[in-house]
Amino acid sequence: MDIKGKVALVTGGGSGLGEATARRLAAAGAKVAVVDLSQERADAVANSIGGVGIAADVSNAEQVEAGFVKAAEVLGATPAIVVSCAGIGTASRILPRDGSLTIDSFALALKVNLLGTYTVLNIAAREMAKVDPLDDDGSRGVIINTSSVAFEDGQIGQAAYSASKGGVASMTLPAARELSRFGIRVMAIAPGLFETAMSAGLPDDIRAEICKSIPFPSRMGMPDEYARLVEQIVENSMLNGTVIRLDASARMPAK
Ligand code: NAP
């Protein structure tokens, strides 16, 4: 599907992978709705790319619906490109030293990362299904979700995060199969370690250790490398129903 002239909606667009995606899609000619928890951050990115900033919590269906309405109103069409980057990184052992239960932090990871991604997908699919086909293939849209390499090789402390990202990865094929009759593609990207606010807190020694273990290139990914994959997925209609690891062949060790 061509990007030029399309409306795109990017969640988590005020920071990191989402911000890079919003910028790249805008540079390729899309009109972009930047959705984030913070109106200020969403506006900062949106204003610099001629888009619209929208404050919404992705785990709140009413706020997401309002975001889609605003995006269509301001940008002139239902989003045909929807990229879910909103997410939280959680780290907690199942059995912490203080003996407490960790059910609440598990539920929070699922609420934001899995339910939030599903909420955006559900509303995006419903809105996309109403529009006329946009190209000769009969495409009505493409939805790209963000999983993580932790969906396959989660480390100690990542049971909740891995479960949430595993859900995002696992829904890709059934969603693509179901939505194919509307001409809507569904893909997921599973990034390795990328240079964003989420990874900024890593101590230097751990960062160096992780980079050493990445076969090639032995460094963290840059947000625009994620955004470039989004661009290629949108443009290549044969990409559908699968999860792409973007990880320089890294396999995370147990800890
Ligand atoms: P980031 O820079 O922290 O960006 C994530 C953005 O999502 C932040 O602006 C955050 O706002 C926002 N957000 C959090 N909860 C939200 C909610 N409920 N509703 C709407 N927005 C929300 O992190 P990132 O590295 O770009 O992460 C993007 C995605 O990639 C995440 O799903 C993450 O799990 C995944 N990922 C990242 C890496 C990595 O190494 N960076 C690796 C694998 C997967 P606040 O800052 O206010 O919370």
Side-chain angles (χ1 to χ4, degrees), residues 11-19 35-38 41 56-59 84-89 112-113 146-149 161 165 189-199 220 226:
T11 75
S15 175
L17 305 184
E19 175 178 352
V35 176
D36 213 301
L37 274 181
S38 145
R41 267 214 309 267
D57 176 343
V58 293
S59 63
S84 275
C85 290
I88 52 171
V112 177
N113 294 347
T146 309
S147 178
S148 160
V149 292
Y161 184 72
K165 295 301 186 178
I189 300 174
L193 200 59
F194 274 64
E195 201 76 71
T196 69
M198 193 176 278
S199 54
M220 292 170 71
Y226 171 95

Side-chain angles (χ1 to χ4, degrees), residues 4-255:
K4 200 170 167 37
K6 298 289 187 316
V7 171
L9 183 147
V10 182
T11 75
S15 175
L17 305 184
E19 175 178 352
T21 299
R23 292 190 184 285
R24 182 158 274 277
L25 290 173
K31 293 177 270 183
V32 184
V34 178
V35 176
D36 213 301
L37 274 181
S38 145
Q39 181 76 57
E40 207 181 331
R41 267 214 309 267
D43 283 344
V45 175
N47 291 341
S48 68
I49 58 173
V52 58
I54 295 169
D57 176 343
V58 293
S59 63
N60 180 316
E62 275 175 26
Q63 291 182 19
V64 174
E65 290 206 75
F68 271 81
V69 170
K70 185 169 177 191
E73 262 171 25
V74 177
L75 302 177
T78 296
I81 302 164
V82 170
V83 187
S84 275
C85 290
I88 52 171
T90 58
S92 164
R93 285 180 181 245
I94 297 163
L95 299 178
R97 286 203 172 83
D98 66 7
S100 59
L101 292 175
T102 48
I103 298 162
D104 289 348
S105 60
F106 189 90
L108 179 66
L110 291 196
K111 181 175 175 213
V112 177
N113 294 347
L114 181 53
L115 185 61
T117 300
Y118 182 78
T119 300
V120 173
L121 173 133
N122 198 176
I123 293 166
R126 187 191 64 187
E127 295 310 306
M128 286 174 180
K130 295 176 188 165
V131 303
D132 291 331
L134 301 164
D135 63 18
D136 293 344
D137 283 330
S139 304
R140 288 190 170 83
V142 52
I143 299 168
I144 302 170
N145 295 329
T146 309
S147 178
S148 160
V149 292
F151 93 96
E152 286 183 328
D153 32 272
Q155 299 186 282
I156 289 171
Q158 288 193 308
Y161 184 72
S162 296
S164 70
K165 295 301 186 178
V168 171
S170 296
M171 75 166 86
T172 310
L173 182 61
R177 285 174 161 166
E178 178 181 338
L179 299 178
S180 61
R181 74 187 179 94
F182 301 106
I184 298 168
R185 291 185 290 128
V186 182
M187 286 288 293
I189 300 174
L193 200 59
F194 274 64
E195 201 76 71
T196 69
M198 193 176 278
S199 54
L202 278 177
D204 286 348
D205 53 333
I206 296 194
R207 177 185 293 254
E209 197 58 38
I210 292 174
C211 287
K212 222 166 55 189
S213 75
I214 302 173
F216 185 81
S218 302
R219 61 168 175 81
M220 292 170 71
M222 299 310 293
D224 189 56
E225 292 174 313
Y226 171 95
R228 270 155 51 197
L229 182 54
V230 168
E231 189 174 30
Q232 286 153 4
I233 290 171
V234 175
E235 288 178 342
N236 190 335
S237 296
M238 288 304 287
L239 284 167
N240 193 12
T242 198
V243 183
I244 299 178
R245 285 183 69 121
L246 186 65
D247 64 2
S249 74
R251 296 295 178 270
M252 303 303 277
K255 57 181 177 184

